[in-house]
Amino acid sequence: MITFLINLIQQAGAICKAEQSNILPSDVTFKTRKDLVTRIDKNIEDFIVEKIRLKYPSHDILGEETGRSGFSSDYIWIIDPIDGTTSFLHQQPFYSISIAIQYRGQTICGAVYAPRLDELFYAEKHSGAFLNGRPVYVSNADKLINSVMATGFACLRADAEFNNLSYFNKIVPQLRDIRRFGSAAIDLCYVACGKLDGYWEMNLNTYDIAAGAFIVEKAGGIVCDFNGDVHFPGKGIIATNSRLVKKLLENFK
Ligand code: 2AM
Ligand code: CA
């Protein structure tokens, strides 16, 4: 299954990379005034869904653009065809394709591919996490002041009244630095491979985080909500290493 998943995500990534510089204004439609989608998001999801249907016709599928199809299989594929659509549209490299496979509600495989960065992350239930075929692990940082973290503002795009700005103001001065890449899936994978020491965000959806959160856990990291529990994405998500998690959680009390 992981081999099929890796081939599929790489094929989808090649299409994204080829299409990115050809996007036209007429390819963009608005879900809300800040939340947009391109023709390519939809095409990529159709491409992925079609391939899964051919190989695993009985499996259920949940995709960002087409919603849920099927409720009868033990397996479900969770697809974000382009995570970081705003970056994609604005000709930036920080976007990815994210696919997770769950069996009876538990993630068993996950892959995130950032084609412009040529970074392919994946993990399987009984093995660790990998970047371009090499094992990856979360960082060893144990002090916030030595840490570089990422966050995001899906909450602002959703016009949520309770948003991330107060957490941002509180946490950033305690860190070495902060990044905002614009793809939750990449942020999570960068925690998994130690390029980032931590990440938090709120107002995300399952398809943004299903694969990335699994990859963090398989890389030895911790994924929890703002209370330190595992109820996300509704309540917000934190991903970091076991040395920093308590120090980061202090800021969400
Ligand atoms: P997307 O690019 O697939 O929309 C960036 O902060 C992260 O938030 C991305 O993973 C992005 O996914 C997601 N996101 C952007 N706008 C959002 C919204 N209005 N509601 C929920 N998630 C959003
Ligand atoms: Ca997304």
Side-chain angles (χ1 to χ4, degrees):
M1 222 175 221
I2 190 80
T3 310
F4 171 80
L5 173 59
I6 287 169
N7 282 332
L8 177 61
I9 208 166
Q10 284 179 317
Q11 286 173 43
I15 303 172
C16 288
K17 203 171 154 184
E19 294 275 357
Q20 191 184 16
S21 52
N22 300 325
I23 311 171
L24 301 169
S26 58
D27 290 332
V28 182
T29 47
F30 287 83
K31 293 180 186 173
T32 66
R33 73 192 169 100
K34 292 184 200 162
D35 197 1
L36 48 90
V37 61
T38 72
R39 174 183 55 83
I40 297 117
D41 294 61
K42 291 174 181 155
N43 289 353
I44 294 292
E45 185 158 316
D46 289 347
F47 172 84
I48 293 169
V49 167
E50 201 173 301
K51 297 270 179 190
I52 296 168
R53 289 244 167 83
L54 278 172
K55 179 86 177 170
Y56 301 104
S58 66
H59 289 189
D60 298 344
I61 295 174
L62 170 68
E64 173 164 13
E65 309 307 335
T66 45
R68 170 115 189 202
S69 55
F71 287 89
S72 53
S73 172
D74 284 337
Y75 290 92
I76 182 163
W77 293 66
I78 301 173
I79 304 158
D80 194 338
I82 301 183
D83 185 51
T85 301
T86 305
S87 301
F88 181 75
L89 176 64
H90 286 256
Q91 303 301 317
Q92 297 166 6
F94 293 102
Y95 66 87
S96 61
I97 299 157
S98 169
I99 306 177
I101 309 168
Q102 292 185 344
Y103 176 74
R104 296 189 173 171
Q106 300 290 316
T107 306
I108 54 166
C109 284
V112 172
Y113 182 44
R116 285 274 303 279
L117 307 172
D118 198 23
E119 291 182 318
L120 170 65
F121 296 88
Y122 58 89
E124 251 186 311
K125 194 178 173 193
H126 296 299
S127 67
F130 298 85
L131 163 56
N132 293 343
R134 294 181 180 208
V136 289
Y137 308 97
V138 290
S139 84
N140 286 323
D142 61 357
K143 292 191 178 70
L144 294 175
I145 196 64
N146 297 333
S147 301
V148 176
M149 298 201 176
T151 190
F153 299 92
C155 51
L156 297 183
R157 230 198 284 175
D159 284 322
E161 221 165 272
F162 176 54
N163 62 45
N164 189 20
L165 292 174
S166 56
Y167 297 126
F168 183 83
N169 284 340
K170 196 170 173 193
I171 297 167
V172 175
Q174 303 173 55
L175 303 175
R176 176 175 291 167
D177 210 342
I178 189 77
R179 296 289 180 269
R180 197 290 195 249
F181 293 123
S183 162
I186 291 179
D187 292 328
L188 288 164
C189 289
Y190 272 27
V191 172
C193 70
K195 291 185 186 186
L196 290 171
D197 304 294
Y199 163 71
W200 79 93
E201 188 159 357
M202 51 210 284
N203 290 87
L204 294 172
N205 294 294
T206 307
Y207 39 76
D208 301 311
I209 60 167
F214 179 69
I215 292 167
V216 170
E217 286 172 351
K218 291 291 148 191
I222 310 264
V223 181
C224 59
D225 69 13
F226 292 174
N227 297 317
D229 303 324
V230 288
H231 301 110
F232 51 83
K235 293 183 182 171
I237 181 169
I238 288 175
T240 186
N241 69 35
S242 58
R243 298 170 178 206
L244 285 171
V245 67
K246 271 194 187 151
K247 292 165 191 160
L248 190 53
L249 274 169
E250 282 292 310
N251 295 283
F252 294 90
K253 281 184 177 161

